[in-house]
């Protein structure tokens, strides 16, 4: 007897919004809402594709999705227990096969997007203080006041100014 063929794709493909002026876990003045945040392991990175017709250098990479911290269902895409994440934003990222990473995706035109740069952070271990900080931030509904005691942690990733900005915005809103 023939087994039915599964049509569920095990790969989540996410576009690179290379033109966005900000990247990382704290974009926008008050911290834009995440569409997808996950912890993963770099499985493979292709060689860069040099193409004069493109405005950026494409370099595809594949990440094993190990743990999803938050996800929203969007009109054109949704995280549905896919095992792999694929995007072409890996050019000049300081990661290699086997590295553990924390990945931040946002919504763009009803789909997931990754603005590159600091939207993929290398994590040393599962109890990395930055990972614990971002988990608390997500559990609080992205309440930036939850990050106040963690500003120094984010400095190590070059994100101190961004963290201070979202905290200041939240404090200003709390006064209203």
């Amino acid at each position: 007897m023939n087994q039915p063929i599964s049509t569920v794709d095990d790969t989540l493909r996410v576009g690179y919004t290379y033109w966005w002026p900000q990247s990382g876990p704290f974009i926008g003045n008050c911290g834009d809402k995440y569409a997808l945040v996950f912890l993963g392991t770099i499985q493979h990175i292709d060689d860069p594709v040099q193409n004069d017709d493109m405005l950026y250098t494409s370099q595809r990479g594949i990440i094993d999705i190990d743990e999803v911290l938050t996800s929203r269902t969007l009109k054109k895409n949704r995280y549905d227990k896919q095992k792999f994440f694929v995007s072409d934003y890996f050019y000049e990222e300081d990661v290699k096969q086997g590295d553990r990473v924390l990945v931040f995706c946002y919504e763009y035109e009803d789909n997931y997007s990754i603005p590159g740069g600091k939207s993929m952070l290398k994590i040393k271990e599962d109890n990395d203080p930055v990972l614990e900080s971002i988990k608390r931030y997500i559990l609080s509904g992205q309440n930036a006041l939850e990050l106040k005691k963690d500003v120094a942690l984010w400095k190590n990733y070059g994100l101190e100014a961004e963290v201070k900005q979202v905290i200041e915005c939240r404090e200003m809103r709390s006064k209203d």
Side-chain angles (χ1 to χ4, degrees):
M1 181 151 175
N2 290 338
Q3 293 287 2
I5 297 172
S6 173
T7 57
V8 175
D9 193 356
D10 67 350
T11 303
L12 183 64
R13 289 168 178 77
V14 174
Y16 176 23
T17 44
Y18 61 88
W19 61 91
W20 282 15
Q22 292 182 300
S23 69
F26 311 108
I27 68 173
N29 285 334
C30 297
D32 290 359
K33 288 290 180 200
Y34 301 137
L36 174 68
V37 179
F38 69 91
L39 187 61
T41 305
I42 305 283
Q43 184 187 66
H44 177 80
I45 301 175
D46 291 345
D47 290 332
V49 176
Q50 300 291 340
N51 183 341
D52 293 338
D53 293 335
M54 292 182 65
L55 297 174
Y56 70 99
T57 300
S58 174
Q59 187 171 14
R60 190 180 77 110
I62 302 169
I63 301 173
D64 285 333
I65 299 172
D66 299 326
E67 178 186 356
V68 173
L69 305 182
T70 188
S71 69
R72 286 192 291 136
T73 299
L74 306 178
K75 287 181 183 174
K76 295 182 181 175
N77 210 346
R78 72 181 211 178
Y79 170 73
D80 190 21
K81 296 184 175 48
Q82 290 94 333
K83 296 179 187 302
F84 306 104
F85 169 94
V86 172
S87 190
D88 65 348
Y89 79 102
F90 283 76
Y91 185 66
E92 294 187 335
E93 294 293 322
D94 184 27
V95 293
K96 63 186 180 314
Q97 186 175 342
D99 283 349
R100 298 272 291 162
V101 290
L102 185 56
V103 179
F104 299 88
C105 298
Y106 297 90
E107 182 176 347
Y108 178 71
E109 294 183 344
D110 300 322
N111 215 331
Y112 296 120
S113 76
I114 185 160
K118 297 174 181 174
S119 296
M120 179 172 61
L121 305 177
K122 207 180 318 184
I123 299 296
K124 292 177 180 66
E125 53 203 357
D126 285 344
N127 62 351
D128 191 299
V130 165
L131 181 57
E132 296 306 314
S133 175
I134 210 68
K135 283 180 177 181
R136 284 194 320 275
Y137 179 57
I138 289 169
L139 285 172
S140 74
Q142 288 186 235
N143 179 348
L145 299 179
E146 193 62 44
L147 300 168
K148 282 184 99 164
K149 65 179 183 264
D150 299 334
V151 173
L153 295 174
W154 292 101
K155 186 176 184 176
N156 297 333
Y157 286 91
L159 292 163
E160 180 180 24
E162 291 89 339
V163 169
K164 286 181 175 179
Q165 170 59 46
V166 296
I167 292 169
E168 186 177 302
C169 177
R170 181 61 187 232
E171 287 175 338
M172 295 299 281
R173 284 183 170 176
S174 296
K175 291 178 184 174
D176 292 343

